[in-house]
Amino acid sequence: MTATATAAPARGAGRPHYGTHLFLIVMAVMWLIPLLWTLYAALRPKAVTDKYGYWSLHGPINLDNFTNAWTQGGMATYFGNTLTITVPSVLLTLLLASMMAFAVSRFTWKFNLTLLVLFTAGNMLPPQVLAAPLFEMFKHTPLPYSISSSGTLLDTYYAVIAVEVAFQMGFCTFVLSNYMKALPGGLTEAAQVDGASVWQQYSRIIMPLTRPALAALGTLEVVWLYNDYFWPLLFIHSGDRLPITTGITNLQGQFLLDYNMIAAGATITVIPTLVVYLALQRHFVAGLTLGASKG
């Protein structure tokens, strides 16, 4: 005689969640309305909005504002400056944070937890608290004029990259260390028995297994550092070295009343982060859901 066991359906399974769906739809609409209206304003000529107002639906739409914002606003230069800051900052942050996470998660030593707490506690300080000390420190840090026109760390990309890496390492170390602790300890123990060095354990065993977490953190870091406004504005004084987030203010100052062009410039700045998120969306979601369930 055989017995067939049927799993009981989970509680609430199949029940329609009208309230949840309604809430999500309302929130999505609330987020989309300003974005879509900004895009619509960017597509309208300034003369039309001056005549009918920004909340009207009259007149033609075209891409002239985007063309003017790109050429007259010098946005190609600002995008290049942003890449110069963002790419090294993200790569250095993930590299150093992964090394630190490997040390505190795979090895047991006296100051293991203390060091992790110190790294994480650095994220609790508001950036504005350290603005004046960092400014003075960079101001009195000499550099050769061949790599710095000011003779100091001020007005250089090095200052912004160093601060971005320092502030982001704590969060990335915390996330990566928790993920690495979830990996089986037998992996590195077996590698150690086979004669693998610490570097080989890190680079050939642990790092390939942390790709989902690195992809999720990389996506977040690109968005955060790309949109950072405070540190570049504080340390970079030359207009031709500003990143896109601070450089867009020059467009506003030059065309103060042309809000259509400003809307077009703001829309252009969103495109790179949107492309990065869409390209890494699968890895980003997988990284966020790691450890959510147990098999």
Side-chain angles (χ1 to χ4, degrees), residues 2 4 21 38 58 72 93 121-122 128 138 142 159 161 165 170 173 182 194 205 214 258-259 267 276 286 291:
T2 59
T4 303
H21 294 163
T38 300
H58 299 81
Q72 299 179 26
T93 299
Q128 293 79 3
F138 291 163
I161 292 173
V165 172
T173 301
D194 291 339
I205 298 176
L214 288 173
D258 196 346
Y259 294 108
T267 304
V276 170

Side-chain angles (χ1 to χ4, degrees), residues 152-235:
T152 65
L153 265 176
L154 286 181
D155 203 23
T156 65
Y157 297 129
Y158 307 113
V160 181
I161 292 173
V163 173
E164 299 286 16
V165 172
F167 268 87
Q168 297 300 323
M169 267 192 64
F171 171 74
C172 292
T173 301
F174 176 76
V175 173
L176 289 175
S177 63
N178 286 335
Y179 176 73
M180 290 182 183
K181 288 178 182 178
L183 298 176
L187 294 174
T188 51
E189 293 175 2
Q192 189 174 5
V193 171
D194 291 339
S197 63
V198 174
W199 175 255
Q200 290 174 330
Q201 297 175 38
Y202 163 78
S203 60
R204 297 186 179 182
I205 298 176
I206 299 301
M207 288 304 291
L209 296 175
T210 59
R211 287 178 182 174
L214 288 173
L217 282 175
T219 306
L220 289 175
E221 290 300 316
V222 167
V223 174
W224 288 342
L225 298 182
Y226 177 90
N227 290 317
D228 185 31
Y229 180 83
F230 181 72
W231 294 120
L233 183 65
L234 179 64
F235 296 134

Side-chain angles (χ1 to χ4, degrees), residues 17-183:
H17 301 279
Y18 297 114
T20 302
H21 294 163
L22 179 61
F23 173 77
L24 293 176
I25 291 173
V26 171
M27 294 302 297
V29 170
M30 291 178 61
W31 277 97
L32 286 175
I33 286 177
L35 297 178
L36 294 177
W37 202 263
T38 300
L39 178 60
Y40 179 62
L43 292 171
R44 302 180 69 190
K46 181 178 183 296
V48 174
T49 55
D50 288 343
K51 182 177 181 180
Y52 299 104
Y54 285 94
W55 296 100
S56 63
L57 300 176
H58 299 81
I61 58 176
N62 53 54
L63 298 177
D64 291 345
N65 289 321
F66 290 92
T67 303
N68 295 334
W70 182 265
T71 56
Q72 299 179 26
M75 300 190 71
T77 301
Y78 297 138
F79 271 120
N81 298 338
T82 300
L83 289 177
T84 304
I85 295 174
T86 303
V87 174
S89 298
V90 172
L91 294 179
L92 282 173
T93 299
L94 294 181
L95 175 64
L96 297 177
S98 63
M99 291 181 176
M100 183 62 199
F102 176 76
V104 299
S105 63
R106 311 305 291 186
F107 296 95
T108 302
W109 45 299
K110 185 175 181 181
F111 300 102
N112 190 318
L113 182 60
T114 304
L115 193 58
L116 179 60
V117 171
L118 287 176
F119 266 78
T120 309
N123 284 6
M124 306 301 175
L125 291 174
Q128 293 79 3
V129 174
L130 299 177
L134 287 174
F135 185 89
E136 289 297 323
M137 182 176 69
F138 291 163
K139 181 180 178 181
H140 294 89
T141 302
L143 285 180
Y145 283 98
S146 58
I147 61 176
S148 173
S149 59
S150 64
T152 65
L153 265 176
L154 286 181
D155 203 23
T156 65
Y157 297 129
Y158 307 113
V160 181
I161 292 173
V163 173
E164 299 286 16
V165 172
F167 268 87
Q168 297 300 323
M169 267 192 64
F171 171 74
C172 292
T173 301
F174 176 76
V175 173
L176 289 175
S177 63
N178 286 335
Y179 176 73
M180 290 182 183
K181 288 178 182 178
L183 298 176

